[in-house]
Amino acid sequence: MQISAQPFKRSAERHNALLLIGNVIGSGGSAVVTECSGCCDGPDCALSDDMVAKIYKVRCADEPPEVALQEARMLQAVASEHVATYLGLYYFDASEVAERIPAIQCVQSTLNGHFGSRVQSRSSRSRHSSRSTRETKLSTASGDGQRLKLWALLMERMDYSLHHLTCFSFLEPEAAFACQALLQGLSHLHSLGIIHRDVKPANILIANGGSRVVLSDLGLATWIPEGSTSVSRKACGTRGFLAPECLLRDVCSKESDMFAVGAVLYQLLFGTYAFVRASVAETEAATLQGKLPLEPCGEAVGKSAASCVLVRNLLDFDPTCRLTAQEALRSPWFQKQESLAALHSLREEEKRIQDETALGLFMDENATTQRRPLTKEVRLNKNLTEPKATWASRILKVARRSFARNFRSKKVAPEPLEPVEFDQICGR
């Protein structure tokens, strides 16, 4: 459904935009990502028919939330073919569209929940601590009479994230292709004095049928202060991809980004996480111990020596001994690489099977419901209380729920895969 939106400081002359908000395709701690297309009457409009809208779960009256403004600044500053393309930051009236668009309803349902309570000031929470949850929600929603806005950051649409493909077995040329693109994106960021602080498969996107890999989700990225080599971690990052110094000294640097690249590469090569374990404490302990199945054996069975050397040099415990992005790109291992087209095809086929399975389950459930006799009273109540849904909407709802349950990316440490034993890798 179309909504009327306005850009935020895009140009001196304001122009109108029509955004077509579609299905929800992802959700995180601060935003909901939806399908989107749009058009506008401005001369420099960059909107397209194939975008995503990152709608933030914070309503503001005048200025966008800091998390949205931070990511917009970063995407503009690091514009590159190796980073997701930024198309603008837009706002629209939340109250006018909340009842008409399912995707916005999904945002509205979480606005005053856990995340909304975290962004309130500490003094505000203390003053209203005696009020009920419902009263707090109502007062937050009213905004003291101001018309509150939802902010949407628009970006080019990609096919999948690398997280969606890690359920398949990567060949070394495919892993090399993905890793080289990731290193090129990080090399560009680091040359500008910016660190990402949350490198992981879910933030590495795949496009053009597997022929393009880009870095995304720069909401936690930051500039390194002049005269310094690190910044405070501030709870950024995902355990299992955090470097040891992030856990010990609570700082992030270019070297910690490279450690995360090593953890991603290890996962692509061996089909298991490098450090993620069953609990947070075990994951942190494994990271600090730094013991990998590659050690002390020189090569893992079935893996080239060049790939093992690269992983080891990226996951070095000492940050000063880790490779930089430019040094890693000079590895001879990248001479043999191929696109992710084959894995992309497998992912498409798996998605098609999931949709067909969801459709079959829906048809079976609907047939069983139709055979169940209803009394006259139940039929009357059902017609009065339940709105009629179309077949298409009900089928898509079941399919989306099944897809989201299996492939939703989390900010917390992901569930560990089956660990690779030392004896198995060494062929003993």
Side-chain angles (χ1 to χ4, degrees):
M1 182 173 291
Q2 286 186 338
I3 60 174
S4 178
Q6 293 287 338
F8 175 70
K9 295 182 180 178
R10 185 180 181 86
S11 62
E13 182 180 355
R14 297 285 177 171
H15 57 268
N16 295 318
L18 288 177
L19 301 180
L20 182 62
I21 304 295
N23 298 324
V24 175
I25 57 178
S27 180
S30 62
V32 169
V33 181
T34 71
E35 298 171 339
C36 183
S37 62
C39 61
C40 62
D41 54 13
D44 58 346
C45 178
L47 302 187
S48 70
D49 293 331
D50 198 11
M51 307 180 298
V52 294
K54 192 171 184 178
I55 305 174
Y56 292 89
K57 301 176 184 177
V58 180
R59 293 186 293 188
C60 302
D62 298 315
E63 295 290 319
E66 183 59 32
V67 62
L69 201 54
Q70 168 73 3
E71 186 161 10
R73 289 172 183 154
M74 282 296 169
L75 287 171
Q76 288 178 303
V78 303
S80 164
E81 61 177 327
H82 304 298
V83 180
T85 304
Y86 167 76
L87 299 176
L89 183 61
Y90 286 75
Y91 63 88
F92 51 89
D93 192 328
S95 58
E96 292 182 358
V97 300
E99 301 299 328
R100 296 186 289 128
I101 304 178
I104 306 303
Q105 293 176 11
C106 180
V107 178
Q108 294 282 84
S109 66
T110 57
L111 276 175
N112 299 309
H114 178 66
F115 182 81
S117 64
R118 290 176 60 188
V119 299
Q120 296 179 32
S121 66
R122 183 172 301 177
S123 60
S124 175
R125 288 199 301 269
S126 62
R127 287 197 305 269
H128 302 290
S129 59
S130 60
R131 298 185 180 182
S132 65
T133 304
R134 177 173 176 81
E135 289 174 339
T136 303
K137 289 184 178 182
L138 291 175
S139 64
T140 305
S142 65
D144 298 329
Q146 296 182 354
R147 297 179 68 84
L148 298 179
K149 304 167 184 175
L150 283 179
W151 295 83
L153 189 146
L154 305 183
M155 295 180 290
E156 63 173 324
R157 183 173 181 177
M158 301 294 176
D159 299 329
Y160 303 107
S161 72
L162 200 61
H163 172 77
H164 294 138
L165 299 183
T166 51
C167 54
F168 303 110
S169 177
F170 277 68
L171 300 177
E172 279 202 35
E174 294 169 333
F177 179 82
C179 186
Q180 185 183 51
L182 172 59
L183 287 170
Q184 288 171 335
L186 277 179
S187 175
H188 177 63
L189 263 67
H190 291 174
S191 67
L192 299 174
I194 296 173
I195 54 177
H196 189 279
R197 294 201 294 183
D198 196 20
V199 176
K200 61 181 179 179
N203 292 337
I204 304 166
L205 303 183
I206 315 298
N208 300 343
S211 62
R212 183 176 173 225
V213 178
V214 301
L215 192 59
S216 72
D217 200 350
L218 272 67
L220 299 177
T222 185
W223 278 277
I224 301 176
E226 186 176 354
S228 178
T229 58
S230 63
V231 297
S232 173
R233 184 167 75 90
K234 292 185 178 179
C236 296
T238 302
R239 287 176 175 83
F241 299 91
L242 286 172
E245 63 270 16
C246 297
L247 300 174
L248 293 174
R249 301 196 302 273
D250 203 32
V251 296
C252 288
S253 61
K254 296 178 182 179
E255 291 77 16
S256 60
D257 276 353
M258 300 309 299
F259 185 91
V261 174
V264 171
L265 178 56
Y266 185 93
Q267 185 176 350
L268 299 184
L269 286 172
F270 297 101
T272 185
Y273 294 111
F275 305 108
V276 175
R277 300 295 184 264
S279 67
V280 171
E282 292 175 351
T283 298
E284 292 183 351
T287 303
L288 296 175
Q289 292 170 2
K291 293 182 179 179
L292 294 171
L294 289 174
E295 301 170 355
C297 106
E299 294 182 26
V301 173
K303 306 301 176 184
S304 65
S307 66
C308 294
V309 169
L310 181 59
V311 170
R312 189 180 294 108
N313 290 334
L314 289 172
L315 293 177
D316 198 297
F317 186 90
D318 186 355
T320 60
C321 296
R322 287 180 208 142
L323 297 177
T324 65
Q326 283 295 329
E327 291 171 345
L329 283 169
R330 292 195 288 268
S331 170
W333 183 59
F334 292 118
Q335 294 177 0
K336 55 171 188 177
Q337 59 173 317
E338 61 185 40
S339 71
L340 305 179
L343 292 176
H344 184 276
S345 299
L346 289 174
R347 180 69 186 86
E348 285 289 324
E349 179 64 16
E350 184 183 55
K351 185 175 180 295
R352 183 188 65 80
I353 293 174
Q354 284 183 344
D355 292 343
E356 291 181 352
T357 303
L359 175 60
L361 292 174
F362 168 77
M363 297 296 290
D364 292 342
E365 181 181 351
N366 188 69
T368 304
T369 304
Q370 287 184 346
R371 289 195 296 269
R372 186 182 301 126
L374 297 176
T375 64
K376 181 178 180 180
E377 182 180 357
V378 171
R379 286 198 301 270
L380 288 175
N381 292 336
K382 186 178 180 66
N383 292 334
L384 289 174
T385 58
E386 294 187 8
K388 293 183 179 180
T390 63
W391 279 78
S393 64
R394 296 175 70 181
I395 292 172
L396 288 175
K397 182 178 180 181
V398 174
R400 287 198 302 269
R401 184 178 300 169
S402 175
F403 178 76
R405 184 168 54 249
N406 292 324
F407 296 99
R408 183 175 297 146
S409 177
K410 300 180 179 179
K411 281 288 181 184
V412 298
E415 292 295 327
L417 302 178
E418 188 67 25
V420 176
E421 297 294 339
F422 177 82
D423 291 341
Q424 294 176 351
I425 288 187
C426 294
R428 297 177 182 174

